[in-house]
Amino acid sequence: MRSASRVFQKDLVRVPSYSIHHSISRLGSPHVQSWHPHHIPTSRKIASSSSRHMSLMDFFRAPPSPSKASLLALQEARQALLQAVKNRQLPRLQGAYSNLMRRKELARCYHSPDMIDELSPDDMVSILQLLSSSSRLSDHSLLKKVMEDAGTTLPPEVQIAQRGAMLQSLINTQQQRAALAYLADLDSKGVEYNPNLWAILVSGFQEIGDMEGVHQTMAHYRSSKGKRIVEPYATYLEGLFDAANSKGGTPDEEEISALLNEVESAGLEVTPLLWSKLLLGYMKCNMLEEAHRIDRLIEKEHKSDGSFSPANPENNPLWNAYIRFHRHVGSLTETQEMAKALKLHGFLPNEASISSWIQGAGSEASILELYEAERCLGVQADSASWGLLVDVALRKEPSGVDEALTVYREALKSIPPTVPLIFNLIEHLCQPTQSHRTLNPPLEIYTELVTEEQNSKSTTLSLHPLSTRLYTTLLHALGDSLSRVRRPKAGVIMSIIGDMKDRSLYLEDHDLRSLVPQLLSSVKSHEALMDMYRVIRSLNPAAFSAEVYAEVLRTAAFSSFPFPGARTIPFKLYFQIVQDMVDRGYPITMTVYQNLFQHYRGKLVVPVTHPVNSSILANIRGAHSLLRLDASVTPSSQLFNIIMDAYSRAGDFEAALSIWKNDLWSSRITDQRSISIILDSCGWHREKRLAFKIWSELRANEAKGRLSMDMKCWESWIECLCRLGCIEEAKRTVLEEMGSPQSRRQVEASNPPFANAVVVDTLLTFARGKSSAEQESLIVSIKQRLPDVYIEWTELSLRRKSKIPDALDSTRQSP
């Protein structure tokens, strides 16, 4: 007679994976929305009576015509897009732009093109600049689509901006080689572009340390058809100095000289920008003699050529570098005198001048010197200057952190907290090396920044390029602190994530993969875990890649909470995450099910005790039902083994036996682990008749060469016999059937392996319930029949500090 399980599985029709989630909703989950291809939602407003009285005139008021409505919708879509651009809301840009294009197509059905408002050139440039600032490939793809949709009818200045945005986007998405090919192609076709793009590309290769790419870019620039400018040479020169300084060496003087000669040969003037790069480059490489030579040349050029005049604001980078160098080699007093002289020649200092002063002072910089620089230059220090002073303090040991906090508090007396001021301080305070400290200081500083933003109604925190990194630093620190004695409240994490969402900041894929396990572990229940997951996902659903979902599911499956009823995740909650993953277009893998069943199995101890664990068993059954319905997954023997073991541990032997018969044995995908699990299950559940029947089938098939059983299978069989109370049969199997090389010869492959210390240990452990005489007889038999194994077992027992039966004391002799 066929079992019900076999009939059910044979007649079962497997359905597409979306039906899994439909099945969940039918099980009554309050959170899962059901979906069906023929489901048509009914509006509550139509079904229920109206809450207001309808006047007679409402019947005569015609709705807006489709023509007018399409224009209104287009205008709203355009405003939504521009608002997202203004607030630098990159995650919303994709949807806003797609909506605008759909509305435009609809409006074209009713109106001529001249009646449809297009994006202005300024709006288009703003969109391109925002997209080009992103490092996400999806934003790069959107940039290409925007350019394709715009066509070639844009004004020349917008087309030039398009080309610059495309190059910058390629660089930001780590496609420097593609950027070089793109720029070279523009040049070969004679297309107009900004020649400063060559300098941007040189810098892009320098950022990733690709000096071969730098040289190739300069080679293309030298042979290009475009206008010659000095900026690519200046950027290249700065890279030469930085590369040498990073290695603790000096640049090749011949290469620098050849570069300067090339600039002159190209008919370009040695601009203040180039002089500033030379001066700071020699200074950073500690080539002070060369730096002094450049310093004298600058003074000479200043006196003979008005183009170097300090009174020209365009020359401020040069004279700020001049201040930095003189403070580096001179004293505070000498720098003050030099600055006064510059001001007499018309120099108009700015905030960057104070930053240059502080950089020149290096480790000698202090709060008092910053105030002196302010007084001398007549400019108030900004957050960048105070941030440099914080960095100087952080490098001092062992008082660095305390001194940096003092600098920060002093800065707040004159300026509000800003990202440049607090960024390095928070990063330092959140480092693992600061684990002896609490996270209160960085959280307090962050709170002060947010409060100031709210009071001043500023959007700086939303727009600053370091803002996202600031938030991820805090979240990583909170996640790392979970392993410390004091766990942060999940509410703190939720508050920070909510603040990110309010500012349209988002987490990238690489941050999510490392943060998700940490942050989800901060909660106290699986329901709270789901809330945390939803909040994190709401930041940037597009960044939830297949790898991120795998981390979420793994964390959800293996999280354990020390509270009653919270030790296992309900399968319905787990599959809500799976539904989100499927909706994003990622397939369900076998690992998705495997993690969940491993989680349930791990919560059940052996040997099996009664009554049955109904809570976990219900979750196992529910998840197993979904697996049966999921046509996208073909379970392996490993997955079936886990489910069979979970059923057995939960107390449902019939379900475990059904998997063995219908899914493993009949499908011939049984492996060694399957055999061990079903034998263990028979022993735990005292199924003596079934155990001997299964073992007979196994031995018969092994004799026919259909399967092979390793030592683990025989160990499971011996344990099963012992649990069933068949000690004599276990003894016969170990001593006679398995035996030793001395007692039998293993001729055929189907013969059992020789006995080892593990099976002997199992046999003697279960024999403790026998009388002393029976124990003594068993031990004597083992010593006589399996002398080598007996010695191995005694050594194993001593290593494990196992209790040797009392009968050994009177019979222990050398074999």
Side-chain angles (χ1 to χ4, degrees):
M1 179 177 180
R2 292 187 298 172
S3 65
S5 299
R6 181 187 291 271
V7 173
F8 171 73
Q9 187 187 27
K10 186 173 182 180
D11 298 337
L12 186 66
V13 177
R14 309 192 84 191
V15 297
S17 59
Y18 70 76
S19 295
I20 292 177
H21 318 302
H22 182 59
S23 300
I24 296 175
S25 65
R26 293 176 61 187
L27 293 174
S29 172
H31 303 291
V32 181
Q33 296 180 354
S34 62
W35 182 93
H36 193 277
H38 306 297
H39 173 66
I40 302 177
T42 304
S43 170
R44 291 182 177 270
K45 292 183 179 180
I46 296 175
S48 61
S49 60
S50 176
S51 60
R52 66 180 179 88
H53 295 288
M54 185 177 292
S55 67
L56 182 63
M57 292 304 296
D58 289 336
F59 289 103
F60 299 96
R61 291 194 184 102
S65 66
S67 174
K68 185 177 181 180
S70 65
L71 287 180
L72 290 174
L74 177 61
Q75 184 179 8
E76 291 175 357
R78 184 173 179 273
Q79 290 175 348
L81 174 65
L82 296 180
Q83 188 65 36
V85 173
K86 180 181 178 181
N87 295 334
R88 300 185 66 84
Q89 297 172 323
L90 274 169
R92 299 183 182 180
L93 206 58
Q94 178 91 42
Y97 181 77
S98 299
N99 184 44
L100 175 66
M101 299 309 292
R102 285 196 301 269
R103 298 298 182 185
K104 184 182 291 187
E105 288 298 321
L106 183 61
R108 285 174 179 166
C109 297
Y110 300 102
H111 306 281
S112 60
D114 58 328
M115 295 184 64
I116 299 175
D117 290 335
E118 298 289 345
L119 292 169
S120 70
D122 290 342
D123 293 338
M124 181 62 70
V125 171
S126 298
I127 294 171
L128 296 173
Q129 288 177 343
L130 177 58
L131 288 172
S132 66
S133 66
S134 173
S135 60
R136 296 193 305 170
L137 289 173
S138 58
D139 291 326
H140 176 70
S141 300
L142 179 58
L143 173 68
K144 292 195 292 185
K145 177 170 175 54
V146 171
M147 292 177 62
E148 291 171 2
D149 292 341
T152 58
T153 60
L154 294 172
E157 63 273 12
V158 178
Q159 294 187 33
I160 293 175
Q162 278 185 329
R163 293 156 196 152
M166 174 58 72
L167 183 97
Q168 188 66 64
S169 180
L170 288 168
I171 293 172
N172 288 342
T173 52
Q174 302 294 301
Q175 301 181 77
Q176 277 80 352
R177 294 286 171 176
L180 176 57
Y182 173 74
L183 188 53
D185 183 62
L186 291 179
D187 185 75
S188 65
K189 294 178 179 177
V191 177
E192 186 178 4
Y193 61 89
N194 187 341
N196 196 49
L197 295 183
W198 292 105
I200 295 173
L201 185 53
V202 169
S203 179
F205 276 113
Q206 289 171 344
E207 287 176 0
I208 61 174
D210 187 349
M211 293 309 296
E212 181 183 355
V214 170
H215 294 306
Q216 290 178 355
T217 302
M218 289 304 296
H220 277 284
Y221 175 61
R222 291 179 178 114
S223 61
S224 65
K225 305 173 184 177
K227 177 185 176 183
R228 287 288 183 274
I229 58 174
V230 78
E231 280 76 7
Y233 294 103
T235 305
Y236 179 59
L237 181 64
E238 183 179 24
L240 292 177
F241 282 113
D242 288 342
N245 185 44
S246 64
K247 298 177 182 178
T250 58
D252 187 344
E253 283 293 324
E254 293 184 1
E255 187 173 9
I256 292 176
S257 178
L259 183 67
L260 296 176
N261 290 334
E262 184 180 344
V263 171
E264 293 182 357
S265 300
L268 301 173
E269 296 182 359
V270 181
T271 62
L273 174 64
L274 202 57
W275 283 115
S276 66
K277 301 297 184 186
L278 285 168
L279 179 63
L280 293 180
Y282 283 125
M283 184 197 76
K284 291 177 183 178
C285 292
N286 205 30
M287 301 173 67
L288 297 183
E289 185 177 342
E290 288 297 320
H292 279 293
R293 181 176 65 84
I294 299 298
D295 179 54
R296 290 190 294 270
L297 288 173
I298 291 174
E299 291 182 358
K300 180 180 178 182
E301 291 289 341
H302 157 49
K303 294 175 182 178
S304 61
D305 188 352
S307 62
F308 277 60
S309 171
N312 185 354
E314 293 183 0
N315 294 337
N316 267 27
L318 170 64
W319 296 109
N320 287 339
Y322 188 77
I323 291 173
R324 178 176 175 180
F325 171 69
H326 278 267
R327 180 60 188 94
H328 179 75
V329 299
S331 64
L332 172 61
T333 303
E334 291 171 340
T335 308
Q336 289 173 322
E337 294 300 322
M338 180 271 300
K340 291 177 182 178
L342 279 178
K343 290 178 70 177
L344 290 175
H345 285 88
F347 177 57
L348 296 175
N350 54 18
E351 290 84 355
S353 305
I354 297 183
S355 294
S356 297
W357 189 313
I358 298 300
Q359 286 176 312
S363 60
E364 296 179 5
S366 64
I367 295 174
L368 291 177
E369 177 153 357
L370 184 140
Y371 284 144
E372 283 296 323
E374 283 185 333
R375 185 187 60 80
C376 180
L377 296 173
V379 179
Q380 183 179 1
D382 61 2
S383 59
S385 301
W386 282 104
L388 288 170
L389 202 56
V390 168
D391 295 343
V392 172
L394 289 173
R395 289 193 290 268
K396 296 179 181 179
E397 292 295 342
S399 61
V401 173
D402 295 330
E403 190 171 333
L405 287 170
T406 300
V407 172
Y408 168 71
R409 294 300 171 193
E410 186 68 23
L412 294 186
K413 296 178 181 179
S414 55
I415 61 171
T418 61
V419 175
L421 174 62
I422 73 170
F423 180 76
N424 287 339
L425 180 57
I426 285 186
E427 271 212 328
H428 192 87
L429 290 171
C430 290
Q431 286 178 358
T433 55
Q434 300 292 320
S435 58
H436 62 285
R437 298 175 177 268
T438 68
L439 287 175
N440 289 337
L443 289 175
E444 288 174 1
I445 294 171
Y446 157 75
T447 302
E448 290 169 348
L449 174 64
V450 172
T451 302
E452 172 60 30
E453 289 271 319
Q454 292 173 344
N455 293 339
S456 62
K457 297 182 180 179
S458 171
T459 58
T460 304
L461 186 54
S462 302
L463 304 180
H464 198 281
L466 288 175
S467 293
T468 299
R469 190 172 155 192
L470 176 70
Y471 280 96
T472 55
T473 298
L474 284 170
L475 291 174
H476 274 295
L478 288 166
D480 290 340
S481 68
L482 294 175
S483 59
R484 303 177 194 165
V485 177
R486 293 185 178 181
R487 294 165 61 93
K489 294 182 179 179
V492 176
I493 296 174
M494 296 277 273
S495 175
I496 291 175
I497 295 175
D499 189 38
M500 288 187 71
K501 185 177 181 180
D502 292 341
R503 301 179 190 283
S504 298
L505 300 174
Y506 52 89
L507 294 170
E508 292 288 3
D509 171 79
H510 60 275
D511 288 316
L512 286 169
R513 273 180 282 177
S514 57
L515 275 172
V516 160
Q518 296 175 330
L519 301 184
L520 293 184
S521 300
S522 68
V523 298
K524 297 181 179 180
S525 69
H526 286 104
E527 288 72 18
L529 182 147
M530 288 297 297
D531 291 339
M532 178 71 78
Y533 154 73
R534 293 188 186 100
V535 170
I536 298 173
R537 184 176 176 271
S538 67
L539 282 179
N540 187 14
F544 266 64
S545 62
E547 292 78 11
V548 174
Y549 275 111
E551 286 294 331
V552 173
L553 291 169
R554 186 188 63 79
T555 305
F558 295 109
S559 291
S560 180
F561 305 103
F563 302 97
R567 293 188 175 276
T568 58
I569 183 171
F571 80 96
K572 296 179 185 179
L573 290 184
Y574 185 83
F575 279 94
Q576 287 180 42
I577 304 173
V578 176
Q579 179 176 356
D580 291 340
M581 182 181 73
V582 172
D583 290 344
R584 286 287 303 160
Y586 302 122
I588 301 177
T589 63
M590 201 178 309
T591 307
V592 169
Y593 290 97
Q594 193 165 306
N595 286 342
L596 185 61
F597 287 113
Q598 281 180 333
H599 164 71
Y600 292 143
R601 183 184 65 177
K603 298 301 177 184
L604 297 163
V605 296
V606 290
V608 176
T609 57
H610 293 278
V612 172
N613 192 317
S614 58
S615 174
I616 298 181
L617 182 57
N619 281 308
I620 295 172
R621 287 171 174 169
H624 190 198
S625 296
L626 294 181
L627 174 62
R628 284 171 170 158
L629 292 170
D630 191 351
S632 66
V633 174
T634 302
S636 64
S637 59
Q638 182 183 11
L639 179 55
F640 279 131
N641 289 343
I642 295 171
I643 302 173
M644 178 171 62
D645 197 14
Y647 270 126
S648 179
R649 291 174 184 235
D652 191 344
F653 177 75
E654 291 300 323
L657 182 64
S658 174
I659 291 176
W660 166 258
K661 290 180 177 179
N662 302 330
D663 298 314
L664 290 166
W665 186 251
S666 63
S667 302
R668 296 187 178 183
I669 58 172
T670 305
D671 59 16
Q672 313 288 352
R673 181 62 181 153
S674 312
I675 296 170
S676 293
I677 291 172
I678 192 60
L679 293 176
D680 288 340
S681 298
C682 289
W684 291 337
H685 293 274
R686 306 297 188 265
E687 294 287 346
K688 183 175 179 179
R689 183 185 61 81
L690 279 172
F692 277 93
K693 179 182 178 182
I694 290 172
W695 183 252
S696 298
E697 291 177 348
L698 290 170
R699 292 289 286 148
N701 278 270
E702 187 178 31
K704 297 176 182 178
R706 294 176 181 173
L707 60 82
S708 63
M709 293 191 291
D710 60 7
M711 190 65 198
K712 288 292 183 183
C713 298
W714 284 84
E715 290 172 2
S716 297
W717 174 236
I718 298 301
E719 183 175 340
C720 176
L721 290 172
C722 291
R723 290 191 184 280
L724 295 173
C726 304
I727 301 297
E728 289 301 317
E729 177 64 19
K731 174 183 174 181
R732 185 199 66 78
T733 303
V734 172
L735 297 181
E736 299 178 11
E737 196 169 356
M738 297 180 75
S740 68
Q742 292 79 18
S743 64
R744 71 173 177 85
R745 292 182 180 180
Q746 188 164 356
V747 180
E748 298 179 8
S750 61
N751 283 352
F754 297 118
N756 61 9
V758 175
V759 295
V760 168
D761 185 65
T762 302
L763 183 59
L764 291 175
T765 298
F766 281 91
R768 289 172 184 168
K770 300 291 183 179
S771 66
S772 297
E774 289 176 311
Q775 291 184 52
E776 182 178 345
S777 173
L778 176 59
I779 292 168
V780 170
S781 298
I782 292 172
K783 289 172 65 177
Q784 292 176 348
R785 303 282 294 272
L786 306 172
D788 294 337
V789 177
Y790 176 77
I791 294 174
E792 183 184 350
W793 172 77
T794 56
E795 294 174 350
L796 175 66
S797 298
L798 291 173
R799 284 199 305 270
R800 293 179 177 175
K801 297 183 180 180
S802 299
K803 181 180 179 182
I804 300 177
D806 296 337
L808 287 178
D809 294 339
S810 60
T811 59
R812 181 176 297 167
Q813 300 174 3
S814 299

